């Protein structure tokens, strides 16, 4: 059911330092920071030949990644995102197999303007999984 790895999201305490490291040390193509107030994050997108990296930094009060950074002060992998063809069909299939979808199970529009859902990390090897309709 899952398709390509769309992105790996890494929460970082210092967005400018992390972007500089990916650009200058790792030689990646790093985009300008983008504020996503609806998601409570500022994102830096990094294009790799086969996928993307998203550096996430909290934006505003109650950011969903604030707690993660409190537990992981030097940052860490926050989630991975797999593409699916039909997000509603994917959700129904996963729920039927006992997986837990976060929130009320209704897809939301994600950082790329496409419908996304998140799956409970306890059901997937301790990893928060995002599904994005490609
Ligand atoms: Co994501």
């Amino acid at each position: 059911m899952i398709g390509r790895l769309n992105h790996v999201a890494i929460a970082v305490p210092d967005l400018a330092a992390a972007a500089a490291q990916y650009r200058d040390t790792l030689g990646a193509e790093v985009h300008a920071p983008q504020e996503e107030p609806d998601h409570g994050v500022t994102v830096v997108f990094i294009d790799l030949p086969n996928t993307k990296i998203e550096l996430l930094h909290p934006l505003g009060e109650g950011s969903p990644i604030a707690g993660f950074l409190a537990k992981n002060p030097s940052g860490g992998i926050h989630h991975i995102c797999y593409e699916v063809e039909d997000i509603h069909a994917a959700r129904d299939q996963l729920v039927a197999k006992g997986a837990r979808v976060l929130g009320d199970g209704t897809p939301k529009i994600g950082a790329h303007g496409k419908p996304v859902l998140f799956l409970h990390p306890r059901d997937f090897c301790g990893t928060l999984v995002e599904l994005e309709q490609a």
Side-chain angles (χ1 to χ4, degrees), residues 82-96:
Y82 300 121
E83 295 179 359
V84 294
E85 270 177 34
D86 180 333
I87 199 149
H88 291 99
R91 176 198 59 197
D92 295 347
Q93 197 174 325
L94 285 157
V95 167

Side-chain angles (χ1 to χ4, degrees), residues 96-130:
K97 290 184 177 175
R100 286 169 285 180
V101 176
L102 299 190
D104 66 2
T106 307
K108 296 203 165 75
I109 297 302
H112 309 111
K114 295 185 173 161
V116 302
L117 281 175
F118 286 90
L119 305 177
H120 202 295
R122 288 207 192 110
D123 297 336
F124 295 95
C125 314
T127 304
L128 178 60
V129 173
E130 179 180 19

